[in-house]
């Protein structure tokens, strides 16, 4: 149990910074610290990346009950606190999701975050897409799919499973990017989306066209607002047409080609979960018997995908090379020896 678990469930950036200081000043830990966004990140880096004997993980807990992921901005703020101290600036690093920043390529983000030499980001949109882009997905497919049924589907669609998954969520990713960039205000958190209403087929492999998709997302948003006794539309019809015009412009459409940065990992795993419900094998059915609802099933899929990941895949990432360079320059041990000695 970490010291965070002895404190309140949802902590501020000051409390997480205090936890790091408490570890060191009490003598409980004298080595480096890794700060990550949430529970799934903590589990992944603990299993595949870190030197357990020398590196202490600090997991940013969810901001609210039921929210699975913690805060990227909190990770960055905790690292900033560390950098103000001569003692801690070469002992604390943070890893965050890139999200849409590689698409935006904004100097503002670079100045705000990546001027920090000890903040590192995922190679692709998030940790889930980093996993999905590797042979871990192929291992997962062999383990949990009815391979005959999947092969028939791939032949029918003339695409491999990975390509089917990516194609299914590209447009949704583009809308999420645009929503984030223009601050439209659509709450597109993956835990609240009704994915089956975003597609024209039962397997959720063929998304609605961009106009229908945006209207459906607005409908789902307005439905939630109505249940919360707010009947005001989030976007009026005239403004909606303006957004559609921009989304379908070549300037926006070109981002669909940047597959691993425009697609959100949780969207992909949601579609993977829906697909598995149709053509999985008995092994997967055993795995989900204890799950209560779709979101828990998706979490289970993400856990099993991470289990299929191998440390050697991480060695091929830019994230690995960046952390390796940092630990060599600062004489710290973050990565486990199996990654650095071979």
């Amino acid at each position: 149990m970490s010291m965070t678990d002895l404190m309140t469930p949802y902590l501020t950036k000051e409390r997480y910074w205090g936890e790091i200081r408490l570890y060191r000043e009490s003598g409980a830990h004298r080595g480096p610290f890794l700060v990550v966004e949430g529970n799934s990140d903590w589990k992944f880096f603990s299993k595949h990346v870190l030197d357990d004997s020398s590196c202490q993980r600090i997991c940013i807990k969810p901001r609210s009950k039921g929210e699975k992921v913690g805060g990227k901005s909190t990770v960055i703020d905790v690292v900033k606190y560390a950098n103000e101290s001569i003692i801690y600036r070469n002992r604390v690093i943070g890893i965050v999701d890139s999200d849409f920043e590689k698409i935006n390529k904004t100097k503002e983000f670079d100045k705000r975050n990546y001027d920090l030499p000890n903040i590192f980001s995922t190679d692709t949109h998030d940790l889930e897409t980093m996993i999905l882009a590797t042979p871990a997905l192929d291992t997962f497919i062999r383990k949990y799919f009815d391979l005959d049924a999947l092969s028939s589907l791939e032949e029918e669609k003339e695409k491999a499973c990975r390509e089917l998954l990516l194609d299914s969520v590209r447009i949704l990713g583009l809308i999420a990017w645009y929503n984030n960039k223009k601050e439209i205000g659509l709450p597109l958190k993956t835990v609240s989306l009704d994915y089956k209403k975003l597609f024209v087929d039962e397997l959720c492999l063929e998304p609605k066209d961009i106009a229908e998709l945006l209207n459906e997302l607005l409908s789902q948003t307005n439905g939630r607002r109505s249940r919360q006794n707010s009947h005001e539309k989030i976007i009026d019809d005239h403004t909606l047409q303006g957004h559609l015009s921009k989304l379908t412009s070549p300037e926006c459409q070109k981002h669909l080609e940047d597959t691993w940065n425009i697609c959100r990992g949780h969207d992909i795993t949601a579609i993977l979960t829906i697909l598995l419900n149709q053509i999985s094998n008995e092994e997967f059915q055993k795995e989900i018997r204890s799950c209560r609802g779709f979101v828990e099933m998706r979490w289970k899929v993400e856990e099993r995908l991470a289990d299929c990941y191998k440390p050697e895949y991480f060695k091929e990432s830019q994230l690995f090379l960046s952390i390796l360079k940092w630990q060599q320059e600062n004489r710290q041990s973050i990565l486990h020896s199996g990654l650095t000695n071979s």
Side-chain angles (χ1 to χ4, degrees):
M1 177 181 292
S2 76
M3 293 187 182
T4 301
D5 295 321
L6 301 177
M7 300 178 186
T8 56
Y10 314 115
L11 305 181
T12 64
K13 57 191 177 184
E14 289 82 8
R15 295 291 295 274
Y16 285 111
W17 168 231
E19 182 189 359
I20 290 174
R21 294 180 60 192
L22 181 58
Y23 264 115
R24 180 171 175 78
E25 291 169 12
S26 68
H29 180 71
R30 291 284 183 175
F33 295 84
L34 168 64
V35 188
V36 296
E37 288 190 50
N39 295 323
S40 58
D41 301 61
W42 186 92
K43 291 176 183 177
F44 176 85
F45 289 111
S46 296
K47 180 177 181 180
H48 296 295
V49 176
L50 300 178
D51 183 342
D52 286 331
S53 64
S54 64
C55 184
Q56 178 64 46
R57 281 85 64 200
I58 304 295
C59 174
I60 303 301
K61 298 292 184 182
R63 290 185 293 270
S64 60
K65 190 174 182 180
E67 186 182 358
K68 190 175 173 63
V69 181
K72 178 177 182 175
S73 61
T74 303
V75 173
I76 294 167
D77 286 339
V78 170
V79 171
K80 284 180 178 178
Y81 278 128
N83 288 356
E84 292 173 359
S85 166
I86 295 176
I87 296 175
Y88 292 96
R89 66 180 53 160
N90 67 340
R91 288 186 170 89
V92 180
I93 72 169
I95 299 177
V96 297
D97 289 338
S98 291
D99 297 323
F100 294 114
E101 300 305 337
K102 286 185 169 64
I103 290 178
N104 294 337
K105 296 175 181 174
T106 56
K107 293 295 183 183
E108 178 188 354
F109 185 85
D110 292 340
K111 290 177 181 177
R112 189 172 69 247
N113 297 331
Y114 292 127
D115 274 354
L116 300 174
N118 44 348
I119 284 286
F120 305 102
S121 66
T122 52
D123 288 31
T124 57
H125 188 279
D126 48 31
L127 180 59
E128 287 72 29
T129 50
M130 271 192 70
I131 295 171
L132 287 158
T134 72
L137 175 60
D138 304 304
T139 302
F140 178 90
I141 287 170
R142 289 192 297 270
K143 187 170 184 178
Y144 294 112
F145 270 94
D146 178 331
L147 295 179
D148 289 336
L150 179 62
S151 179
S152 296
L153 177 65
E154 290 176 327
E155 288 181 12
E156 176 191 342
K157 301 292 186 181
E158 299 183 339
K159 293 178 182 178
C161 185
R162 182 182 276 105
E163 190 177 356
L164 286 171
L165 293 169
L166 291 169
D167 285 349
S168 71
V169 300
R170 279 184 219 267
I171 297 177
L172 179 57
L174 183 69
I175 292 174
W177 162 77
Y178 184 84
N179 179 60
N180 177 270
K181 188 175 180 65
K182 300 298 183 181
E183 298 182 347
I184 296 176
L186 283 173
L188 298 182
K189 288 190 178 296
T190 54
V191 293
S192 60
L193 292 178
D194 185 346
Y195 283 93
K196 290 192 174 182
K197 291 184 178 179
L198 305 179
F199 295 82
V200 298
D201 65 316
E202 187 178 356
L203 293 177
C204 293
L205 294 175
E206 296 182 25
K208 295 178 177 179
D209 68 40
I210 196 164
E212 290 180 311
L213 190 54
L214 184 55
N215 272 300
E216 175 58 37
L217 290 169
L218 282 168
S219 176
Q220 291 188 24
T221 300
N222 289 329
R224 288 192 294 272
R225 286 163 64 86
S226 178
R227 288 191 292 274
Q228 297 165 0
N229 296 320
S230 176
H231 299 286
E232 182 181 352
K233 282 188 176 182
I234 193 168
I235 301 175
D236 60 55
D237 293 339
H238 177 73
T239 304
L240 175 61
Q241 290 305 312
H243 290 315
L244 276 173
S245 177
K246 290 177 182 177
L247 276 165
T248 54
S249 70
E251 185 66 23
C252 283
Q253 290 285 303
K254 69 180 182 182
H255 296 309
L256 291 172
E257 300 174 8
D258 195 351
T259 304
W260 290 110
N261 287 309
I262 199 67
C263 295
R264 302 187 300 177
H266 294 308
D267 290 331
I268 301 174
T269 57
I271 305 308
L272 183 59
T273 303
I274 292 170
L275 192 58
L276 275 165
N277 274 326
Q278 300 290 328
I279 54 174
S280 65
N281 58 22
E282 291 184 7
E283 185 69 21
F284 179 73
Q285 295 303 319
K286 291 177 185 177
E287 289 281 354
I288 63 171
R289 280 173 188 164
S290 62
C291 295
R292 295 170 295 180
F294 179 77
V295 172
E296 282 196 13
M297 288 173 59
R298 197 199 76 206
W299 291 348
K300 179 68 72 174
V301 166
E302 291 175 356
E303 288 176 1
R304 293 299 170 258
L305 272 168
D307 289 342
C308 294
Y309 191 87
K310 295 181 180 179
E312 53 259 39
Y313 304 153
F314 189 72
K315 286 191 68 173
E316 298 175 2
S317 69
Q318 183 59 48
L319 178 57
F320 164 76
L321 294 175
S322 298
I323 296 173
L324 179 63
K325 180 182 178 182
W326 182 89
Q327 77 170 23
Q328 290 171 341
E329 291 176 348
N330 291 277
R331 299 182 180 180
Q332 298 291 347
S333 181
I334 300 286
L335 303 165
H336 68 65
S337 58
L339 288 171
T340 58
N341 292 341
S342 58

